[in-house]
Structures are given as structure tokens and as C-alpha cells.
Amino acid sequence: MTPPPRASQGSPPPSYSRDFGGLVHAAPARIAHPSSAREVSLAFRSARADGLAVAVRGAGHSQSGHTVVREGLVIDTSRLCGVTVHDGDILEVGGGQPWGGVIDALHGTGLTVPVLTDSAFPTVGGTLSAGGFGAASVRFGAQVGHVERLEVVTPAGDLVTCSREAERELFDAVRAGQGQFGVIARAWLRLRRCPSRIRYYALRYVDTDRLADDAERLYSDARYGHLRLQLRPDSGDAVLRVGVEYEPPAPSPLALLFGLGCVEAHFDGDGDDIGRAGLLPDDLFPRQRFHPWRDWFLPWGALRPILDRAPVPLDWLPPAPHGWAGCYFVCGASIDAPAFVRPPGDRFLSYSVLSVFERRADALEARDRLDAADRVIRDLGGCAYLSGATGYDASRWRAHFGGARHARLVRLQRAVDPAGLLRRPGLPFCA
């Protein structure tokens, strides 16, 4: 019998007992460090033989306890890495590879990932299990829409290669499936050709009607490839960060910005690394602190209402850089992952609130406020993006996915995970 992959002995390192959010702590019984899909399979089989629940951990970028498990097995995917480009524009990448490594490998090739989140340290498998959106979503939707093929290890220990042509049901469940259908050992993603440079401008607004008008205009103009809106309730204004990809010479600022309704426009940087240009600094959210956050998706028609009045008061939000509220704008046309719940229509927007606290009590209070915002946003026709804690019970999960879709996903989860290794409280497919 082949032995299971290497596992940590003795007391687990403290980092494996908490996730990035810092609000959930649970010490595992052991940790597996697989370096291949086969070793992931052996880890699952070992957990099933020993009756252990399983958590899968890449960068641990969660606040809901998804990557920790009390007295269970943590499968650390960090050795499932590597970046290769095939056939000109197909990226083969390990599921445990941080996106920062992908960006660095592609720098200077004239290729980039269509959509990146705003952080470099989350892993490929982690964001594909959530959906993945960011500043370039205004043109290219979500990461899950650009996946060509996946190598998945199911909790039953099976190695399955799935795509739109083969094992489609599993392919559709794994993309944005919250990691409950298996470990993404490898992914094949379609890249896009990109210009050699990107320039950013910061546009400041004090009038919400003008801001909404400009958001419409910028969304509809393909020259503006990256959009991120920061709402600043403490100062009563908002800043729209606009990125323009180009080949030298740079486009005229007058041609780009003429007629916009902002009160100020500032040059905000120019560089040759399109991948890293929109990323937030890695040290912006220190890991040793507490990070409650929430993301939602709203129909496009909700833009003006939320600009006029925040879904909940944000007077509790820490000042920048430890507090952030804002929107991304998303083209939904290429998003074909059924588990990725979003408003209907070809365009919609995100509403996000992120915060950093030194005291756990303050973070828990902030999480309660975000739960209250969730109810308001659902009344506006919005839905949660499952990047953080929701507090949903079984009935709310059914409402979130829709009864028929949720039932199908629950049935599939039970089929690929007969021992229930990945069915833990708080996850959506446990009914």
C-alpha cells in the first residue's frame, strides 16, 4: 500500500489554526503537504479511513473557517504549483500556485490573465473556487469564465479531468463551488494578448449623478480596461480609478478624460506590468490582525441607489488604509459557471466592504453590521459573493442558489463525497 503524503507531526503551526480573517480558530489533528494529484487522493483516503473531516488550504484567504478544521486534516495545496504556457495562449497552472507567481511568469510575454483579483497572494484554486473578479472584470467578467479544463481530486479520492466537453457536471460544480467538490490540482486557463503598458488615472467625484453617468460611459467604452470605485464616506466623495492599456505613444489625457463629470483627475501611474498594476499592496492587510469583509453583487440598476445612500451606515469603518468600501463593474456575458450566483443581465456591479481591526471584539461587531447590510442588499435585488462569512442556514442557501440548482449541487456533492469529508457547518452544500 502506498503511504499517504507527508504530514506534519506534533502540534500544528499556529498559522494552520486560523484563516486570514482571524475570526475562526481551530487546531487540526494533522496537515498533509501533497505535491501531486495522486498525493491529494491519498490524503483524502487517509482522512476517510481515520474518520477525519477535511479542510483545504491554499493561502488561507478566508474569514469563514473554510481553511481550518478542528481535530481534522488540513490539505495544504502550496506544493501544487508551477506555471507553463501551451499553444500560445493556454496557461497550465497548479491549483496551489499564488496568482503573484503567475503574474511574474507572464510578465514581458505579451500575455496576461483576463481577470485578476486585487491581491497577489491568493491561489489559483482558491479564487476559482469562489469565482474571481477584479478591476478588469468590466471587460472580461470573472475568472471562472476563462477556465478551459481542470484536474480535480474528489473527496472520494478519484482523479478527474473535466471541461465543457467532458465531465461537464463536475466542471460546472467545481468552478465557484466553494471547494466542496474536490481539490483543483491543476487548471488550464485561456490567456489574452495585451499591450505593453498600462496607465492609471484617479478621478474624484462629489456628485453621485455625475459619477453614475460616467460609470455608464466608461463601461461602454472599450478603451477603459480597468475600473475600480472607492467610496469614501468619511470625506463625502468617491474616487474612480481608471486603467488604460496601450502601446506607446500614450493616449492623450485630454482625449481620454474630456467631458467626464469628475471634479479632479490625477495621473496615478504608468508601467509595463499590467498584471500587477491594479493590485493592492501585500502589506495593506496585516495577517496578524482581524479582517471582516463582505462582497455582494447588485444589478446595474442599483448603482444610483447605493451611491446616494450606502446599504448600511459606514461610520464604523476604519479610516484608510484599514477600511475600504467600493464597487467593481462586471461584464457577465462570458460567465458560464452555474454555481457563480449573480444578478441577471449582461452587466452588474459588486459592492464590497473590507476592514482591518486590532481587537477581535471590534471585528465581530463589524461582522454583525455586515450581516445587516446583507439583508438590505438582498432587498435591492443583490446576492452575496461567497468570499466571506454569510451566516446562512439551509433555507437561506436554497434561496441563494435557487431550490432546483441547490438540490442538484447537493446531490452531486454527496456523490463525489460519500463520506462527507467536505461537509461542514457554514458551507452551502451540506443539506
Side-chain angles (χ1 to χ4, degrees):
M1 178 178 175
T2 305
R6 294 177 295 277
S8 301
Q9 304 296 320
S11 299
S15 60
Y16 287 93
S17 299
R18 63 164 279 172
D19 58 12
F20 180 71
L23 298 176
V24 179
H25 291 73
R30 63 177 187 253
I31 305 160
H33 304 276
S35 56
S36 68
R38 177 168 174 75
E39 289 190 352
V40 175
S41 174
L42 292 171
F44 273 128
R45 294 176 189 273
S46 172
R48 186 169 68 250
D50 294 339
L52 298 177
V54 175
V56 181
R57 184 184 187 96
H61 191 240
S62 165
Q63 62 153 321
S64 312
H66 292 184
T67 63
V68 300
V69 58
R70 191 176 306 280
E71 296 300 320
L73 171 68
V74 169
I75 298 178
D76 179 348
T77 66
S78 61
R79 295 179 184 175
L80 300 173
C81 52
V83 179
T84 306
V85 177
H86 300 285
D87 301 325
D89 63 351
I90 298 296
L91 172 74
E92 179 185 348
V93 59
Q97 176 71 54
W99 281 107
V102 175
I103 297 166
D104 293 343
L106 294 174
H107 181 52
T109 65
L111 295 166
T112 191
V113 178
V115 179
L116 289 161
T117 62
D118 54 16
S119 299
F121 65 85
T123 63
V124 170
T127 62
L128 292 183
S129 295
F133 70 94
S137 290
V138 66
R139 297 286 160 248
F140 302 105
Q143 290 178 339
V144 289
H146 301 279
V147 182
E148 294 292 308
R149 181 163 44 118
L150 296 171
E151 181 182 56
V152 177
V153 185
T154 71
D158 298 325
L159 279 63
V160 183
T161 299
C162 55
S163 66
R164 292 175 181 84
E165 291 74 38
E167 303 289 346
R168 179 65 186 258
E169 187 178 28
L170 183 63
F171 183 69
D172 284 347
V174 170
R175 293 179 298 153
Q178 299 299 296
Q180 277 197 266
F181 297 88
V183 171
I184 297 174
R186 284 188 298 169
W188 288 260
L189 310 174
R190 187 164 296 279
L191 301 171
R192 67 176 177 92
R193 294 282 169 184
C194 62
S196 62
R197 300 193 68 82
I198 184 169
R199 174 166 289 189
Y200 269 98
Y201 295 92
L203 315 180
R204 189 171 75 87
Y205 292 83
V206 295
D207 184 291
T208 58
D209 284 333
R210 289 183 177 182
L211 173 54
D213 288 343
D214 284 358
E216 293 266 5
R217 171 179 166 177
L218 296 171
Y219 181 95
S220 302
D221 190 330
R223 292 179 300 170
Y224 308 97
H226 304 250
L227 294 179
R228 181 171 67 211
L229 174 63
Q230 181 181 3
L231 305 172
R232 304 198 297 188
D234 54 334
S235 56
D237 61 358
V239 174
L240 187 60
R241 193 166 189 255
V242 180
V244 180
E245 299 176 13
Y246 71 95
E247 290 292 350
S252 161
L254 182 63
L256 289 171
L257 306 178
F258 179 77
L260 294 176
C262 54
V263 294
E264 291 179 313
H266 295 288
F267 173 73
D268 200 31
D270 190 298
D272 65 353
D273 193 340
I274 288 175
R276 286 194 173 271
L279 297 181
L280 299 174
D282 288 344
D283 59 357
L284 185 61
F285 301 109
R287 285 180 176 268
Q288 67 272 22
R289 296 185 182 174
F290 302 97
H291 308 272
W293 79 86
R294 288 293 294 269
D295 298 287
W296 297 270
F297 292 136
L298 284 152
W300 190 266
L303 175 60
R304 291 178 188 272
I306 66 166
L307 292 179
D308 287 335
R309 183 174 181 178
V312 315
L314 294 175
D315 51 357
W316 57 271
L317 194 65
H322 299 307
W324 192 91
C327 300
Y328 292 91
F329 305 94
V330 187
C331 173
S334 65
I335 304 174
D336 65 345
F340 185 86
V341 177
R342 60 183 181 87
D346 284 345
R347 59 177 182 172
F348 56 96
L349 62 139
S350 76
Y351 183 80
S352 304
V353 181
L354 302 88
S355 53
V356 181
F357 292 95
E358 294 188 3
R359 298 195 320 141
R360 187 171 187 271
D362 294 333
L364 291 173
E365 182 178 346
R367 188 173 66 180
D368 291 341
R369 293 176 183 271
L370 295 174
D371 287 343
D374 182 75
R375 294 187 288 273
V376 175
I377 287 174
R378 282 190 274 118
D379 289 341
L380 289 170
C383 57
Y385 172 68
L386 303 181
S387 62
T390 62
Y392 288 175
D393 59 14
S395 63
R396 272 301 318 151
W397 282 126
R398 286 192 294 271
H400 175 78
F401 287 96
R405 175 167 43 178
H406 186 256
R408 287 195 302 270
L409 290 167
V410 167
R411 285 195 297 270
L412 179 61
Q413 204 286 328
R414 289 185 174 277
V416 300
D417 185 11
L421 302 181
L422 295 177
R423 288 197 293 272
R424 294 186 287 122
L427 293 172
F429 309 115
C430 297

